[in-house]
Amino acid sequence: MSTTENQPVPGGIDEATSAPVRAAGAVLWRAGAAGAEVALVHRPRYDDWSLPKGKLDPGELPAHAAVREVAEETGFSCVLSRFLTRVDYSVPVAGGGRAPKVVDYFTARAGDGSFAPNDEVDELRWLPTGRARELLSYPHDAGVLDAFEKSPAQSATVLLVRHAKAGKRSEWAGDDDLRPLTEAGQRQRDALHSLLSLFGPARIYSAPRLRCEQTVAPIATDLGIGIATEPLFSEEGYLGDPDAAADALRGVADGPGTAVVCSQGGVIPDLVARLADSTDLRLGEVASRKGSVWTLTFARDRSSGNGSAPALRLAAADYLADPLA
């Protein structure tokens, strides 16, 4: 079997001599009779079995590339649920030498579609993770499956968004609640619209601020629903009762489907850290640039909860920077 395209070499990317190659892929899964089944693809060019993935197009974000590559290689649409892991290794390049390859993987649930052999992939198999691991050609792909298996089987996703740019508070003469997005903020809003749509949101929440509501308005328009306002997700509401705000976010997570929550910079770092600390999840510094997103994965763990708040615990938190950064 020829496996040179993706085979890591001793020393990893330290041996690279060329510019990094960026790529993205997904663990594409569906519900099977005995649990989750994942999709593996066979590429005749390399005679290997791997997870769906491919290089980023110029200007493309990893999340967009993952969804596009899944569709191109498997024929299935998909909905992302979270960033899963990043894999680094080196690959040979034309003219000799090697280049570092960086692949971002997401968890993706399969939607509609059907497989047909194409120029890159001639066979697709749906397999339980144990059998898939045995078939995979590369150890780093098995590591991606390990990360997938560690994800909670019953989970809920909240996309916690910091509003897009709205200029400086000191330069706005009116009611600060009504401070709107700037032109730069509108560009961020449009980029966020494209990114958040990949996660299949079903519900939209916002702090009662015009700039927050404007940031998520395109998603609400797509869904044909209103934006539910929650004062606890505003800075003054949060500071008045941070524990109630954390419980409110768990309540949002406990609803049907993926939810989007738009909040402020004075809320998000402490709120994410508070949720993480309650379950001993180690995050380090919690960033929160304007237009950024925290993908929060909650486990539906009936042994947790305080008797009044939903029995959910934060199982993973992944930061997606401003898509225009």
Side-chain angles (χ1 to χ4, degrees):
M1 175 180 291
S2 172
T3 59
T4 57
E5 191 273 343
N6 275 331
Q7 185 63 44
V9 297
I13 62 174
D14 290 340
E15 298 186 7
T17 59
S18 301
V21 177
R22 292 297 308 275
V27 177
L28 180 69
W29 70 277
R30 68 182 186 185
E37 297 176 338
V38 300
L40 300 191
V41 295
H42 181 261
R43 302 180 301 173
R45 178 182 178 187
Y46 306 107
D47 190 21
D48 63 5
W49 285 95
S50 65
L51 300 166
K53 71 174 185 303
K55 296 177 184 178
L56 272 62
D57 288 338
E60 190 175 39
L61 295 176
H64 288 97
V67 172
R68 176 181 54 77
E69 287 291 338
V70 163
E72 290 177 359
E73 293 194 354
T74 73
F76 285 86
S77 64
C78 69
V79 174
L80 303 182
S81 58
R82 61 164 296 207
F83 171 80
L84 191 57
T85 189
R86 171 172 286 178
V87 174
D88 301 321
Y89 53 92
S90 69
V91 293
V93 294
R98 303 187 72 87
K101 188 168 186 176
V102 180
V103 189
D104 290 323
Y105 282 97
F106 294 79
T107 301
R109 181 160 188 161
D112 295 333
S114 61
F115 174 73
N118 53 71
D119 291 341
E120 295 185 48
V121 176
D122 63 353
E123 187 176 353
L124 179 146
R125 294 185 188 177
W126 290 98
L127 297 170
T129 54
R131 290 173 57 193
R133 187 177 286 102
E134 295 173 356
L135 185 61
L136 283 168
S137 298
Y138 310 112
H140 55 267
D141 278 349
V144 176
L145 275 189
D146 290 342
F148 172 75
E149 287 190 305
K150 291 177 182 177
S151 298
Q154 297 294 325
S155 64
T157 300
V158 174
L159 304 170
L160 181 59
V161 182
R162 184 176 177 188
H163 66 77
K165 293 179 180 179
K168 295 181 180 179
R169 182 176 303 185
S170 60
E171 297 176 356
W172 174 254
D175 184 344
D176 190 62
D177 291 0
L178 301 179
R179 180 155 49 99
L181 298 182
T182 61
E183 289 186 8
Q186 291 171 16
R187 291 192 293 270
Q188 281 184 314
R189 174 202 61 196
D190 294 343
L192 278 169
H193 177 205
S194 177
L195 175 64
L196 297 174
S197 297
L198 302 176
F199 292 83
R203 296 170 291 126
I204 313 293
Y205 299 81
S206 174
R209 298 288 185 273
L210 178 60
R211 53 194 177 275
C212 293
E213 294 171 2
Q214 287 180 330
T215 298
V216 293
I219 298 289
T221 298
D222 286 350
L223 297 174
I225 62 174
I227 300 171
T229 57
E230 174 49 74
L232 287 168
F233 298 149
S234 68
E235 289 177 341
E236 73 276 10
Y238 181 80
L239 292 174
D241 197 340
D243 288 335
D247 285 345
L249 194 69
R250 293 189 190 95
V252 168
D254 204 35
T258 295
V260 173
V261 173
C262 192
S263 186
Q264 299 179 265
V267 175
I268 292 171
D270 189 76
L271 175 56
V272 173
R274 186 177 297 269
L275 291 167
D277 289 345
S278 69
T279 56
D280 294 325
L281 186 64
R282 306 302 179 190
L283 296 182
E285 181 181 359
V286 180
S288 181
R289 291 174 59 89
K290 289 178 181 176
S292 63
V293 182
W294 276 95
T295 305
L296 305 179
T297 303
F298 291 85
R300 297 187 183 278
D301 184 354
R302 307 320 297 182
S303 65
S304 63
N306 60 15
S308 59
L312 293 172
R313 60 179 176 83
L314 186 65
D318 307 292
Y319 182 67
L320 304 177
D322 166 14
L324 295 183

